[in-house]
Amino acid sequence: MRKKQGFRLERPVDQIRSGISLVTETIRGRSRRFRRLRLTAGVTAAIALSLWAIVGGVFPSPATATGQTYEVLSTPENVIWGELFKPDSEPILRVQSGDRLVMQTVSHEGILADQGDTIEFLTGSGIAESDILPDQLQIKAEVEKTGPGPHVITGPIYVEGAEPGDVLEIKTLNIDYRVPYGVISNRHGRGSLPGEYPENGEPIYTKVIPIDRENDIGIFRPANGLPNLNIPLKPFMGLMGVVPADPEDAVNSVPPGLYGGNVDIKLLGVGSSLYLPVQVPGALFYSGDPHCAQGNGEVALTAIECSLTPTFELIVHKGMTLEAPVGETEDAWIAVGLDQDLDEAMKKSVREYLRITNEEYGLTKPDALLFGSAAIDFEVSQVVDIVKGIHGVIPKELFAPLTQGN
């Protein structure tokens, strides 16, 4: 790797920062996950069913109250810029399944070359110099941009016991804002209308968005003097992933894949889980591309890009097989389809929806297809990341009659 070697941060924190919701950890780990386990022996199955009866149908989460919490800083030694980590990347931290990370992340918007001097760019839009994130300035000055992607990525984190064939669950427990601003950008050759916008042949049209944390809004200021518009904030991490097995998949931070990465699904905020097939020993988890708010499609090119500090819990699931990333919220499953062709991404998302409803609820796939045509929304995650995304939102309450008595 071209990043500095040998630095390892392992700083346990006595408790998670105030404001982190712990409700989710008591409602995760339910039997649905264990129904996905492929029990290969009748004795094993009998044991599992006995445990099911003992605990009343609810398995505890693999995480325990004694799991460590670590703070990971976005220092130059802990980030890369423009590419993903590789199978031979040195981890900055080793954790156990069930441990938690309070992980600083840095937005790339504002430090890219086409935005000029970062301080001038931000202060020219009304941001106080004292509010500019020092990490952004330090990374711009000290970190080499080694790939074609724009993203600054924090990691990688080695999860003990994670092996290819396992699944890493990434729970997002909390997200804190680091600065009172974000940035939206449109660039020629990119976005949903490449070559049409920005207007007049300009290479970039970019706007700084002040963040009003008290009212939970981003303030959008029209260029022609119209009244300000408010954008409701819903922060999430656009990029969460494990290291891909093929180093060629890691040369650019932009396209998502089986390994996750830049999936840009706005439902993956606080209280969500993202499940990813482990590709290399230790999984080597990383995150970046923090967003304050995004519309489905992300049509200009970016969301409100803003530096955030998410809190993650990392859980290794043994014997759980996945052929695509899967998302989960308290209320819904998220069936992810990824492909350079949007039609193919749609097909993959529908097939994943059929698999989920069949394996989780027992619905036959022909029935699930008919049911989905009447009741399931398939949404465009983004069309701007080379590999496009469709996600089907599968409300759990619709299938409640199929789980009663289990």
Side-chain angles (χ1 to χ4, degrees), residues 289-300:
D289 192 28
H291 295 163
C292 285
Q294 177 188 301
N296 281 329
E298 203 178 15
V299 294

Side-chain angles (χ1 to χ4, degrees), residues 13-225:
V13 180
D14 291 334
Q15 60 183 15
I16 300 176
R17 292 181 178 179
S18 61
I20 297 176
S21 171
L22 299 181
V23 175
T24 55
E25 72 175 319
T26 63
I27 63 173
R28 297 286 177 197
R30 289 173 290 200
S31 62
R32 48 183 162 71
R33 295 200 182 111
F34 293 86
R35 288 200 300 274
R36 289 195 294 262
L37 296 181
R38 295 186 174 179
L39 301 175
T40 58
V43 172
T44 306
I47 292 172
L49 290 171
S50 298
L51 287 172
W52 170 261
I54 290 170
V55 300
V58 179
F59 280 89
S61 168
T64 67
T66 58
Q68 296 284 357
T69 297
Y70 297 91
E71 185 175 10
V72 180
L73 307 180
S74 53
T75 56
E77 295 85 358
N78 290 352
V79 304
I80 55 174
W81 192 357
E83 60 180 337
L84 301 179
F85 293 101
K86 310 292 194 303
D88 62 352
S89 296
E90 180 181 356
I92 60 171
L93 175 66
R94 301 176 81 96
V95 303
Q96 300 291 330
S97 177
D99 285 347
R100 294 174 177 183
L101 307 173
V102 180
M103 177 181 275
Q104 293 180 349
T105 63
V106 171
S107 175
H108 55 278
E109 286 292 334
I111 61 174
L112 293 174
D114 59 6
Q115 290 166 324
D117 180 86
T118 298
I119 294 177
E120 291 181 3
F121 172 68
L122 293 172
T123 57
S125 294
I127 304 302
E129 185 170 349
S130 59
D131 284 335
I132 297 174
L133 184 66
D135 294 16
Q136 283 190 299
L137 302 178
Q138 186 179 17
I139 287 168
K140 184 175 184 177
E142 299 180 21
V143 176
E144 179 186 3
K145 189 174 181 296
T146 52
H151 308 106
V152 175
I153 303 172
T154 306
I157 309 299
Y158 189 103
V159 186
E160 300 287 357
E163 298 289 343
D166 298 337
V167 167
L168 183 69
E169 177 184 1
I170 304 145
K171 290 185 179 181
T172 302
L173 300 181
N174 188 58
I175 297 178
D176 287 327
Y177 295 95
R178 302 190 69 188
V179 288
Y181 60 86
V183 178
I184 307 175
S185 294
N186 172 224
R187 292 175 171 88
H188 258 301
R190 305 184 187 279
S192 63
L193 296 173
E196 296 182 48
Y197 290 88
E199 295 179 315
N200 303 318
E202 293 294 326
I204 182 173
Y205 182 58
T206 185
K207 190 181 291 287
V208 176
I209 307 297
I211 299 300
D212 181 346
R213 283 178 281 191
E214 182 176 348
N215 294 302
D216 217 25
I217 57 173
I219 302 171
F220 187 95
R221 298 174 293 198
N224 59 354

